[in-house]
Amino acid sequence: NSVLKLDSFINEILDYSRNKRMEISAEQFELKELCEEILDNLKYMDDFSTIQVDLNGIKQSTVQQDKVRLKIILSNLISNAIRFQKRIPGHQSLIKISSERDLDITMIHVEDNGEGIRSEHNHKIFEMFFRASDTSKGSGLGLYIAKESAQKIGAKITLRSVYGKGSTFTVIAPDFNPG
């Protein structure tokens, strides 16, 4: 368990470093394929097998953006949804990933029916090393790295959450067309 925690922490540090030093590299890719790749990478997380993932709401198939950074952002959001699922008898944990398009902007929603976030923490969750409770398993870097990565590509992340009901994070990403 300690080795897995350390591995996760090292990967977060590498993501942070990668985001700081890498140039933006826009490419065209399939959003659903990216989400499937992320889920494949996360399948060894604790409790992954107990959660249902719905990708049917991905309407925007092709995205023109920095794939590496978008992967960092979505990986953090999805892994948090897995990590903070409700663990009560009879509850079916669910993550819905959906997207929509408005002109040259893609909005990607990561919605869960997990623990949710207390409203008094909403303004702090993107701060470095912030953890909503002492029992949180993470390092407090994930959402900070996601926010930093989003800023680098001209995107932003919004949150809608009801404590005890779940959260929806929305990544608002403009198409990136270099030149």
Side-chain angles (χ1 to χ4, degrees), residues 25-159:
S25 173
E27 61 184 286
Q28 200 168 57
F29 57 91
E30 297 297 316
L31 182 58
K32 191 169 191 175
E33 287 176 12
L34 178 65
C35 290
E36 289 167 346
E37 182 182 324
I38 291 167
L39 290 166
D40 191 54
N41 290 341
L42 297 174
K43 69 183 174 192
Y44 298 107
M45 278 183 74
D46 288 345
D47 298 323
F48 179 85
S49 62
T50 63
I51 203 157
Q52 181 183 349
V53 180
D54 179 359
L55 300 177
N56 292 323
I58 297 178
K59 292 184 176 59
Q60 173 59 29
S61 59
T62 304
V63 177
Q64 176 78 19
Q65 204 18 288
D66 187 312
K67 185 177 180 181
V68 172
R69 286 187 176 86
L70 200 55
K71 184 177 181 181
I72 289 170
I73 295 164
L74 293 175
S75 291
N76 276 296
L77 298 179
I78 295 167
S79 66
N80 279 352
I82 295 167
R83 188 175 293 125
F84 296 106
Q85 62 181 288
K86 280 188 206 170
R87 288 169 178 80
I88 56 175
H91 176 76
Q92 174 57 62
S93 295
L94 174 66
I95 300 173
K96 285 186 191 176
I97 303 171
S98 60
S99 68
E100 57 189 293
R101 183 100 174 135
D102 185 19
L103 300 174
D104 62 347
I105 295 173
T106 300
M107 289 164 278
I108 306 162
H109 311 284
V110 178
E111 178 184 353
D112 67 63
N113 64 350
E115 296 177 8
I117 299 166
R118 293 183 189 274
S119 58
E120 63 264 24
H121 297 309
N122 286 358
H123 68 286
K124 297 180 194 172
I125 61 166
F126 292 104
E127 292 178 7
M128 186 184 280
F129 300 121
F130 179 77
R131 295 173 1 159
S133 75
D134 293 334
T135 59
S136 293
K137 296 176 187 170
S139 64
L141 284 175
L143 289 176
Y144 173 77
I145 292 167
K147 179 194 76 165
E148 291 285 310
S149 297
Q151 287 175 340
K152 192 94 169 186
I153 60 173
K156 71 178 192 173
I157 305 171
T158 64
L159 165 67

